[in-house]
Amino acid sequence: MKKIITLAILLTLHFSLFTLHCKAQLWGMAGLGGANNMGIIYSINLDGSNFQVRHTFDGTNGSIPNGGLMKASNGKLYGLTSMGGANDMGVLFSFDTATNTYTKLFDFNNNDGSYPLGSLVEVNGMLYGLANSGGAGSYGVVFRFNLATNTYYHV
């Protein structure tokens, strides 16, 4: 009887993990490619199947994404582009995987930082990141973005 229960538990665990594995996706960005050759956001199943372009950058909504996508506590993905946007100095954006909705949140500029690089980090509802240039003396900035108020701050 003990062997049957153990076998049942192992089979249940195996099929649960298999089901979870089949539904899981990886999300990422490519710095070039897409219809405009300015980069994309994509998803792909863990087994390599079902590659889908979810968003194509076009310059006005950012171009040449860099770093990784970061999943925030609100369930949305956040990322940076190194160029594009209103000033062609990069953007901070969100992507809602449930609705397939891209939202540009901030256009970088010389005063508040420009040409962001790397990935974002979330701490207590705030996203933190780096801009390569701009700010006082044009040496770059450390910035934060409040997820609750959609407000950008730089140091």
Side-chain angles (χ1 to χ4, degrees):
M1 182 70 167
K2 186 175 179 183
K3 288 182 182 182
I4 292 173
I5 292 173
T6 303
L7 180 60
I9 291 171
L10 288 174
L11 285 173
T12 301
L13 181 60
H14 171 74
F15 286 116
S16 297
L17 291 174
F18 180 75
T19 302
L20 175 65
H21 176 76
C22 289
K23 292 181 181 179
Q25 290 182 316
L26 298 174
W27 287 75
M29 299 186 293
L32 296 174
N36 305 305
N37 202 31
M38 295 181 178
I40 61 170
I41 298 173
Y42 65 87
S43 67
I44 189 168
N45 290 346
L46 289 177
D47 65 2
S49 66
N50 200 29
F51 176 85
Q52 292 184 30
V53 174
R54 299 298 187 135
H55 178 76
T56 300
F57 292 97
D58 65 9
T60 58
N61 67 10
S63 63
I64 311 176
N66 67 61
L69 290 169
M70 192 273 313
K71 186 172 184 179
S73 56
N74 63 9
K76 294 181 183 178
L77 302 176
Y78 289 84
L80 302 167
T81 69
S82 59
M83 299 193 70
N87 305 304
D88 200 24
M89 295 180 182
V91 302
L92 171 86
F93 67 86
S94 70
F95 190 86
D96 188 333
T97 61
T99 61
N100 222 35
T101 304
Y102 174 92
T103 304
K104 181 172 62 167
L105 299 170
F106 183 77
D107 289 291
F108 286 90
N109 59 68
N110 276 327
N111 294 331
D112 296 315
S114 53
Y115 311 110
L117 50 89
S119 298
L120 298 164
V121 175
E122 181 183 7
V123 178
N124 297 328
M126 299 286 252
L127 300 180
Y128 290 87
L130 301 170
N132 190 38
S133 187
S138 291
Y139 297 115
V141 300
V142 174
F143 64 85
R144 71 179 185 219
F145 185 83
N146 188 318
L147 292 174
T149 64
N150 283 341
T151 307
Y152 175 91
Y153 308 89
H154 74 276
V155 178

